[in-house]
Amino acid sequence: MLNRALRTMEFDIIMKMDFSIRDLYEDMDRLHVEQSIGHRKSDSFTVYRGQGLVKTDFNQLVKTKCGLLSSNSFLSTSKNHNVSLNFARHSMLNSDLIGVLFIMTIDPSLSSTRFASIKNVSCHQTERETLVSIRSIFRIGHIKQIEHDNDRLWQVELKSANDADSQRHKFTERIRQRTMELTGWHGLGQLLIMINQFSKAEDLYKVLL
């Protein structure tokens, strides 16, 4: 429910879960620091996430190939390829969705991707779950159809954005400049207006009334 609310900007739910989100973010940050100490580039690992995307979002993703992707929600991922692929397949039961298997290569030595292994506290330990944090930044790589006879099942390769990536610096600096004077829920509303998300801004202000 939390992931869906963050992804679709359901502000009434987000506000009710505000403290839970902060606690989760702080716990993740602590675990990330603990689990990343001493890691080098050679310690990169791969996790998978299967989900459904509406066609407009999938088409936008394809257009952004080789560009940057920033997560706007916590992402539950697994080191089990088959488990994640099954999630992608299951999403196709909804005819409006494209099944997507994200193959995410995470470099613990880079600051662009915040993550924490939660396999020891997860209810599904066989999935070897890793949680990827909000605002993690990836470089979009190869996008291909998984099955030749099925144009609704795709895989997308993502890699942690390099700290020295000039495009990443421009991307994050642009966000910082836009948001440095914006605080609280009203600040978020102003940001949504800046990026032409007028209907979402209207939804937010209705909740704030």
Side-chain angles (χ1 to χ4, degrees):
M1 182 174 70
L2 172 58
N3 258 347
R4 186 190 67 191
L6 290 167
R7 186 171 60 251
T8 59
M9 297 185 187
E10 297 176 38
F11 296 112
D12 54 338
I13 297 176
I14 293 173
M15 287 180 176
K16 291 175 183 176
M17 303 184 72
D18 184 27
F19 290 107
S20 298
I21 295 171
R22 293 184 190 184
D23 287 344
L24 177 58
Y25 188 84
E26 290 172 0
D27 287 344
M28 266 208 66
D29 215 37
R30 176 180 53 79
L31 283 172
H32 173 76
V33 171
E34 292 174 359
Q35 295 173 9
S36 299
I37 292 175
H39 279 294
R40 298 167 296 179
K41 186 175 179 61
S42 58
D43 297 321
S44 294
F45 61 93
T46 301
V47 293
Y48 307 90
R49 176 177 173 81
Q51 69 177 85
L53 292 180
V54 295
K55 294 175 183 177
T56 52
D57 287 348
F58 177 73
N59 291 337
Q60 183 60 43
L61 181 66
V62 172
K63 290 179 182 177
T64 319
K65 181 182 176 182
C66 298
L68 296 176
L69 176 69
S70 178
S71 61
N72 67 342
S73 63
F74 294 99
L75 302 178
S76 172
T77 69
S78 172
K79 289 190 175 182
N80 189 317
H81 174 277
N82 290 334
V83 166
S84 299
L85 180 57
N86 286 337
F87 274 114
R89 289 187 186 280
H90 184 74
S91 71
M92 293 190 300
L93 294 175
N94 184 332
S95 60
D96 294 327
L97 298 180
I98 302 291
V100 179
L101 175 67
F102 288 100
I103 302 175
M104 308 163 75
T105 302
I106 295 177
D107 182 348
S109 69
L110 299 177
S111 64
S112 61
T113 311
R114 312 290 285 181
F115 68 91
S117 172
I118 57 172
K119 63 181 181 180
N120 294 327
V121 295
S122 172
C123 296
H124 309 284
Q125 294 194 5
T126 57
E127 294 184 12
R128 294 180 291 165
E129 191 174 1
T130 295
L131 201 60
V132 177
S133 184
I134 291 174
R135 294 187 297 181
S136 292
I137 302 175
F138 294 93
R139 173 72 63 183
I140 303 171
H142 194 49
I143 300 175
K144 72 174 185 178
Q145 195 170 314
I146 294 177
E147 299 169 339
H148 295 298
D149 59 347
N150 186 352
D151 63 357
R152 292 184 56 226
L153 186 62
W154 294 73
Q155 73 176 38
V156 177
E157 296 177 3
L158 302 176
K159 290 186 177 181
S160 299
N162 196 304
D163 289 342
D165 189 322
S166 60
Q167 186 181 6
R168 181 204 159 194
H169 281 293
K170 291 177 182 177
F171 179 75
T172 53
E173 179 62 18
R174 186 164 64 249
I175 294 175
R176 190 187 71 81
Q177 289 291 339
R178 284 186 169 188
T179 60
M180 61 188 304
E181 296 181 359
L182 304 179
T183 59
W185 294 111
H186 289 287
L188 176 58
Q190 291 300 307
L191 176 60
L192 289 169
I193 292 172
M194 285 181 186
I195 60 176
N196 299 323
Q197 294 287 330
F198 301 115
S199 62
K200 292 298 182 183
E202 182 180 4
D203 291 342
L204 173 60
Y205 285 123
K206 284 180 179 177
V207 173
L208 291 173
L209 290 177

